[in-house]
Amino acid sequence: MKSNGTIRIAVQRSGRLSEGSLNLLKSMGLQFETYQNRLFTRCRNMPIDILFLRDDDIPEYVQDGVADLGIVGSNLLDESNAKAKRLLSLDFGFCSLAIAVPEQSEFKTIVDLAGKKIATSYPQTLKRYLAENGVDAEVILLKGCVEVAPALEVADAICDLVSTGSTLRTNRLTVLETISKSQATLIATPNVSGEKQQLIERLLLRAGGVQEARAFKYIMFNLPEKKLEDAKALVPGCDSPTVMPLADPAMIAVHSVVEEERFWEVVEKIKECGGSGILVSPIEKFIR
Ligand code: PRT
Ligand code: ZN
């Protein structure tokens, strides 16, 4: 397939990362339609094709330049030998790869699994982890339904992805060790032409802007003027907060951005400083 300067972005066709990937691309300003059983779609407003693939194939397709960019879980990158560049962690598709054992088992640490069988779909990552920890265990490769392996006596333990933990609980398993944390990641092919590189950099700026916007809220509130220094410390914003006089000279209005994760703590402190009329709105894009 020749691409004629068009960028190809590979996303998971149908699975846990599909919706998040398409939402991100749309938030980055890419206009496209998607239909069921689609294999690829062409953007209306940019020279970009979106390829819909099985997630396992994405690292190799990106390594080989069939796709210039891709979105996959970092767990797959850790597992594959594909030489794709990790450009940006995307803040969705969070999970961890963990070793789990039956709740009532005698295994208390990873060392207890020496000489035992561990079933997994992530043999390379698991073998690396076992070697790093000096544990000699047998790795059994299973492509799916790893969680039933102990009940079927196929293995003594499993190594699988965990997000809510409900699959483990349902199967009466408990986490012994967490091997790694994973999230959706934007990857790029190692060798790109100058023309494509420019477009990739534009897309990267947009992806970063979407992520920053999600991580921040726009906040506005009224405050006694004498508390201005507290406000500057609480909501420093990019450079400093915007401060405006109100009709009442003893009061000011403060506008700024605040990190989502500090949001409630900041609101409580604003109240303590005598702040009122606190208005908060989402930010669509945020370029620093
Ligand atoms: O068809 P294709 O090969 O594309 O899809 P797939 O079935 O291989 O992948 P999919 O859609 O299941 O997962 C795609 C990616 O989502 C993974 O590579 C991870 O990066 C990410 N992800 C996030 C997860 C999970 N959370 C997750 N919980 N992938 C799988 N799981 C499975 C896990 O294997 C276990 O069976 O969900 C179960 C555990 O979930 P909880 O919520 O019960 O803990
Ligand atoms: Zn897969």
Side-chain angles (χ1 to χ4, degrees), residues 12-17 53-56 72-76 93-96 122 145-147 160-168 182-184:
Q12 190 185 22
R13 186 169 174 195
S14 162
R16 287 167 200 263
L17 302 185
L53 302 172
R54 284 202 59 206
D55 66 345
D56 315 67
V72 277
S74 53
N75 52 298
L76 278 187
F94 288 101
C95 56
S96 49
Y122 294 88
C145 299
V146 175
E147 63 278 0
D160 199 11
L161 297 174
V162 182
S163 49
T164 62
S166 81
T167 303
L168 291 187
S182 174
Q183 61 175 293

Side-chain angles (χ1 to χ4, degrees), residues 54-117:
R54 284 202 59 206
D55 66 345
D56 315 67
D57 296 333
I58 294 176
E60 277 75 20
Y61 272 57
V62 171
Q63 164 187 274
D64 299 343
V66 178
D68 304 282
L69 295 173
I71 297 177
V72 277
S74 53
N75 52 298
L76 278 187
L77 301 171
D78 296 341
E79 181 64 17
S80 131
N81 291 324
K83 290 185 180 49
K85 285 193 279 182
R86 298 186 195 213
L87 293 187
L88 191 66
S89 297
L90 297 173
D91 273 347
F92 68 93
F94 288 101
C95 56
S96 49
L97 184 66
I99 296 180
V101 295
E103 281 168 358
Q104 307 304 335
S105 76
E106 73 275 21
F107 308 125
K108 299 296 173 229
T109 72
I110 179 81
V111 178
D112 299 333
L113 293 177
K116 305 292 177 195
K117 291 179 181 167

